[in-house]
């Protein structure tokens, strides 16, 4: 077993505010994983997804938006998937912990994952 310190840094790109990222070491493929801690009222600013992006809400309540569509509430246990090129933004309604996975790979969203209406 080996132990490492997690790399932590504030996210200020895309006019983001109140966001602390914790990086998980990259894999050998085109995938990255971060834990994002958002303060209530914070935002991961509006930007285009470069790769497929999955946002998993671990705790707290957030609102997410794609392009110019209305904001959608997302609470613990919610997965949000953005495809490459989608313009999107996330706002923290309460303090929130998110897992953010960006990948060029495919997602297997078959059973037991069920897409729900917005």
């Amino acid at each position: 077993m080996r132990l490492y310190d997690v790399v932590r840094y504030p996210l200020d790109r895309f006019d983001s505010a109140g966001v602390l990222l914790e990086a998980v070491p990259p894999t050998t493929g085109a995938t990255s994983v971060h834990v994002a801690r958002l303060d209530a009222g914070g935002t991961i600013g509006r930007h285009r997804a470069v790769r497929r992006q999955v946002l998993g809400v671990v705790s707290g309540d957030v609102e997410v938006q794609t392009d110019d569509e209305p904001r959608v509430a997302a609470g613990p246990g919610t997965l949000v998937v953005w495809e490459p090129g989608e313009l999107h933004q996330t706002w923290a309604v309460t303090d929130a912990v998110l897992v953010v996975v960006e990948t060029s790979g495919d997602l297997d969203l078959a059973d037991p994952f069920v897409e729900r209406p917005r």
Side-chain angles (χ1 to χ4, degrees):
M1 172 173 43
R2 298 181 291 170
L3 301 175
Y4 296 85
D5 292 328
V6 171
V7 176
R8 293 180 174 94
Y9 56 94
L11 177 64
D12 52 12
R13 293 175 56 202
F14 321 120
D15 292 323
S16 299
V19 182
L20 180 67
L21 290 180
E22 298 177 348
V24 177
T27 62
T28 56
T31 300
S32 64
V33 179
H34 288 83
V35 173
R37 298 182 184 280
L38 278 72
D39 296 332
T43 184
I44 299 175
R46 192 170 173 86
H47 64 284
R48 290 204 183 277
V50 175
R51 298 179 283 178
R52 183 168 289 113
Q53 192 170 47
V54 179
L55 180 143
V57 183
V58 177
S59 66
D61 293 301
V62 299
E63 292 180 335
V64 293
Q65 182 182 39
T66 300
D67 297 318
D68 292 323
E69 295 178 12
R71 291 185 187 189
V72 176
T78 302
L79 294 176
V80 180
V81 178
W82 289 291
E83 295 299 329
E86 281 190 289
L87 191 61
H88 63 283
Q89 186 166 353
T90 302
W91 295 266
V93 177
T94 64
D95 288 349
V97 176
L98 313 171
V99 174
V100 180
V101 178
E102 294 178 289
T103 185
S104 296
D106 293 326
L107 297 176
D108 184 359
L109 292 172
D111 189 42
F113 297 99
V114 176
E115 187 171 354
R116 64 182 195 213
R118 294 187 217 179

